[in-house]
Amino acid sequence: MTAADVARLQDKYHIATAPPPTGLTVPAAFHYIHFKAFVFLQLGPETYRQFDALHQPPSHWPNKKLDAVRLGCEQLLLWCGLSIDQPLEGIGVGGFHALMRVFHFESVSHSTTIVSPGLVVDAMLMRHAVQPERELVLYNQVVVSAMQGRPLDA
């Protein structure tokens, strides 16, 4: 990808995406993820992989996992995931980790809040694998199996 291609994507990003909601605190690392989510949706997984420094997402990932990444990217562009009140939804535990892997983030720690029977929100401290100063907490809502007490997609 040339510098001109990146500049075109940046211009398109600034035109196509809404600013964060008023009063929402947005960590710098989230702005990085927000732009990368936009690029992933624009390019698709195959083209994105060609230009990604760590060749993410892996070519062997099944469509179900890529669908979770797409859904996560769509929600990130709507500023979801930054609070327990507006977590990422519908991507499960595996989808959340796949989404973060695409952007080179790893889980450092997490806590879980039960929000209703069968529904929890994980607060995940994430750190960039290459630039550890890029760190943020993201929230992911997970449906839990009543019989086993664990996420349905774990």
Side-chain angles (χ1 to χ4, degrees):
M1 186 174 298
T2 67
D5 294 330
V6 172
R8 276 192 290 277
L9 278 170
Q10 288 173 330
D11 289 344
K12 193 172 185 180
Y13 168 77
H14 291 295
I15 292 167
T17 59
T22 303
L24 182 66
T25 301
V26 182
F30 190 86
H31 287 286
Y32 169 82
I33 289 171
H34 196 259
F35 177 69
K36 292 195 62 118
F38 176 82
V39 172
F40 181 88
L41 291 172
Q42 290 294 304
L43 299 180
E46 295 80 21
T47 304
Y48 185 93
R49 179 183 315 109
Q50 292 174 10
F51 299 105
D52 184 69
L54 301 179
H55 310 293
Q56 295 296 322
S59 59
H60 67 274
W61 276 6
N63 285 335
K64 183 177 179 179
K65 190 175 277 195
L66 292 172
D67 289 344
V69 170
R70 280 186 201 97
L71 179 58
C73 286
E74 291 167 359
Q75 292 178 59
L76 290 171
L77 289 180
L78 297 173
W79 305 97
C80 295
L82 287 169
S83 73
I84 194 167
D85 298 327
Q86 197 157 14
L88 296 166
E89 298 180 7
I91 62 175
V93 174
F96 177 83
H97 287 287
L99 176 65
M100 292 297 96
R101 179 176 171 185
V102 167
F103 304 136
H104 315 150
F105 279 77
E106 301 168 333
S107 176
V108 175
S109 65
H110 84 279
S111 62
T112 300
T113 302
I114 299 170
V115 293
S116 67
L119 199 61
V120 300
V121 174
D122 289 331
M124 308 286 292
L125 175 59
M126 306 301 295
R127 184 175 296 143
H128 195 271
V130 179
Q131 297 173 310
E133 68 277 5
R134 286 189 174 165
E135 190 175 87
L136 76 161
V137 174
L138 291 175
Y139 297 85
N140 183 45
Q141 181 175 284
V142 181
V143 177
V144 179
S145 165
M147 294 184 66
Q148 299 174 339
R150 56 179 206 209
L152 290 177
D153 73 340

